[in-house]
Amino acid sequence: MSGSKIKAPRGTFDVLGEQASARAMLEARARSILEGAGYERIETPVFEATELFARGVGESTDIVRKEMFTFQDAGGRSLTLRPEGTAPVCRAYVEHGMHKLRRPVKLWYLSSFFRHERAQAGRYRQFWQVGAEALGSEDPAVDAESIVLLSRLLAEMRVSDVRLRLSSLGSPESRSEYRERLQTYLRAHEDSLAEEVRARIDLNPLRAFDSEHPGTQRVMQGAPRLLEHLNSEDAEHFAQVRSLLDVVNIPYEVDSTLVRGLDYYTRTVFEFTSDALGAQSGVGGGGRYDRLVEQMGGPPTPGMGWAAGIERIMLAGDAPPAAPAPVELFVALEDPHADVRAVAFALLNEARSAGISARMDLGGRSLKGQLGHAAALGVRFVAIVGRNQTTLKDTQGGRQEPMASDAVVHAVLRAHRAV
Ligand code: ATP
Ligand code: MG
């Protein structure tokens, strides 16, 4: 059966060549920054019970209302491809009793996520995020540390024109009082609001700050601001986060209209944007979620974390690509006889076991073609395996020496040590 070509689904892409090595470099940077700060890697399943996100991310969010890839398994259970990483990490924290570990428990991930969105540059249906979560401490230093780590990653990836916006949503107590105040204000201006915003006055009035509807934006300019209604502990917490960022010279802009698209945030929220990105300007963001673990059925456990989009870091970043690891040894066949191939194959594997990066011809090329391939790879050592002997060529200095094939690895290692 042959037929028409099958393409990757809309909003998805293949990672190839330079993109793949650039991502590997980003991952290495992230690992070094985060593990250097005590974060440990976590991997959670690609799909979870739908209930986890409905409860964890929040029924009133865009993610749960319209962006989830949800399906039923053969047993009739509702499952969802993970749209974000914080709820799964909290689920794992509770499931594995991690509250017994030394606090804060610091976890990081780099994984793919899925949202049913309108695909465009910087916005995909399968995309990758690097994220970090610290669970078990409400110390403002945890907030500041977490923000500084993302800032460092963006700097190392040379993401240009980065801006940091920062705010506090307060604790649920101070928020509920403010919520009523805001609801009263929104109802008084209902006629000028977008339909969508009006529909969410009861469920999630704060999202009105995020609306792109001109009428709503005009109304919101005069709306009461949560930041001005924090209770004294929340205000003090926010002041400490800011002063720690000042200590390490991280510039930020306090933005009282910043509300993040997830329901679980409390106190600190922040977002890094890059002006190099155009419309999809968010590079990464996060905040504190002091009630989420409890909502997942765990013990009361404060949390703080962020996630940043890998594709957007790549788009706005300018980190030089990592040079590919050089090939040190090329094993060439003088003739294609099976015995010669066997000796060459054994040599190839012996070299690799000794930690030498090695290749051999797998394309049935002539000896001349093989030597051309070796030259194109920029290989220093070429072993030419013949029926009776092997010759080792050192292209640096042009020496050529006949030897037993099992002496080649030793000779290459010795030459390396001499450098
Ligand atoms: P946006 O406002 O762009 O929709 P968001 O608020 O939905 O972003 P978060 O849920 O906070 O984003 O995710 C953190 C980061 O993940 C974003 O800052 C962005 O870099 C990236 N991201 C989110 N959705 C997508 C997507 N569909 N495609 C690519 N990257 C994404
Ligand atoms: Mg979004």
Side-chain angles (χ1 to χ4, degrees):
M1 271 241 304
S2 65
S4 54
K5 285 181 195 156
I6 298 170
K7 291 190 171 165
R10 184 189 298 275
T12 69
F13 51 85
D14 301 304
V15 180
L16 305 168
E18 267 180 27
Q19 271 297 317
S21 44
R23 281 165 179 259
M25 198 261 282
L26 195 168
E27 178 160 2
R29 295 272 164 97
R31 168 173 295 116
S32 138
I33 291 171
L34 293 168
E35 296 188 355
Y39 283 77
E40 282 178 26
R41 183 72 180 248
I42 181 170
E43 290 290 347
T44 62
V46 167
F47 54 84
E48 297 266 5
T50 302
E51 167 72 8
L52 174 68
F53 302 110
R55 210 186 324 156
V57 178
E59 299 277 8
S60 74
T61 61
D62 282 346
I63 292 181
V64 172
R65 280 159 36 121
K66 48 190 189 200
E67 295 174 359
M68 297 206 301
F69 283 97
T70 296
F71 60 98
Q72 275 199 355
D73 71 5
R77 281 170 289 262
S78 180
L79 300 172
T80 292
L81 298 182
R82 59 183 173 199
E84 62 94 58
T86 305
V89 166
C90 290
R91 189 228 2 99
Y93 179 91
V94 175
E95 193 165 329
H96 299 283
M98 290 192 228
H99 61 277
K100 294 184 205 115
L101 304 175
R102 190 197 306 275
R103 292 164 172 225
V105 174
K106 292 167 151 184
L107 301 164
W108 79 280
Y109 56 82
L110 192 154
S111 323
S112 60
F113 294 89
F114 306 84
R115 294 184 193 175
H116 199 286
E117 305 209 61
R118 212 160 60 80
Q120 53 203 290
R123 188 176 296 285
Y124 310 97
R125 292 184 174 175
Q126 177 176 5
F127 59 99
W128 271 256
Q129 285 184 337
V130 54
E133 316 287 353
L135 291 130
S137 166
E138 39 176 34
D139 190 329
V142 170
D143 306 46
E145 177 185 68
S146 160
I147 294 170
V148 172
L149 292 172
L150 179 51
S151 163
R152 180 159 296 154
L153 178 62
L154 299 181
E156 285 198 12
M157 294 306 296
R158 298 218 228 151
V159 175
S160 58
D161 306 314
V162 172
R163 285 194 297 148
L164 167 60
R165 291 186 300 142
L166 185 69
S167 191
S168 172
L169 299 178
S171 51
E173 295 74 41
S174 64
R175 192 149 80 212
S176 73
E177 216 175 283
Y178 164 79
R179 244 172 89 104
E180 276 172 35
R181 200 185 290 258
L182 180 63
Q183 281 165 335
T184 309
Y185 177 84
L186 290 173
R187 286 201 188 96
H189 296 83
E190 209 158 337
D191 293 347
S192 317
L193 298 177
E195 177 57 45
E196 208 199 19
V197 173
R198 232 180 302 155
R200 282 201 261 188
I201 293 182
D202 286 324
L203 211 53
N204 197 347
L206 269 100
R207 293 287 295 170
F209 283 109
D210 252 0
S211 171
E212 268 153 30
H213 176 254
T216 306
Q217 288 184 341
R218 235 171 293 122
V219 172
M220 295 321 285
Q221 276 167 16
R225 299 291 165 88
L226 176 50
L227 213 46
E228 283 143 30
H229 294 88
L230 296 180
N231 66 28
S232 59
E233 281 127 57
D234 292 341
E236 174 58 22
H237 191 273
F238 189 48
Q240 287 193 35
V241 173
R242 284 184 330 235
S243 74
L244 289 169
L245 291 175
D246 294 338
V247 165
V248 291
N249 295 317
I250 301 277
Y252 56 84
E253 204 179 297
V254 173
D255 181 350
S256 60
T257 70
L258 178 65
V259 286
R260 307 262 315 139
L262 304 111
D263 277 355
Y264 49 61
Y265 288 116
T266 51
R267 292 190 159 174
T268 311
V269 285
F270 70 97
E271 187 161 73
F272 283 94
T273 56
S274 165
D275 294 340
L277 281 174
Q280 329 302 328
S281 66
V283 181
R288 191 163 261 294
Y289 45 87
D290 288 343
R291 302 299 156 95
L292 184 57
V293 172
E294 217 174 333
Q295 270 174 43
M296 308 271 83
T301 307
M304 167 77 201
W306 50 257
I310 301 292
E311 293 76 28
R312 295 197 196 165
I313 293 177
M314 297 297 183
L315 283 169
D318 181 28
V327 179
E328 294 159 296
L329 174 68
F330 193 95
V331 182
L333 310 182
E334 204 170 60
D335 85 53
H337 191 274
D339 290 349
V340 176
R341 282 183 77 80
V343 172
F345 195 68
L347 170 53
L348 176 77
N349 282 282
E350 196 198 331
R352 287 179 181 165
S353 301
I356 298 168
S357 146
R359 302 280 177 83
M360 93 181 233
D361 178 55
L362 300 172
R365 290 185 184 82
S366 67
L367 180 58
K368 194 168 159 228
Q370 295 176 61
L371 296 178
H373 185 195
L377 288 169
V379 175
R380 175 171 170 190
F381 295 97
V382 181
I384 302 169
V385 181
R387 281 199 202 206
N388 302 315
Q389 67 169 18
T390 295
T391 308
L392 181 63
K393 268 172 70 169
D394 183 349
T395 59
Q396 280 177 21
R399 280 201 306 151
Q400 191 156 323
E401 226 182 307
M403 61 181 69
S405 83
D406 56 9
V408 168
V409 166
H410 187 67
V412 170
L413 291 175
R414 199 178 49 221
H416 265 298
R417 246 177 270 131
V419 175

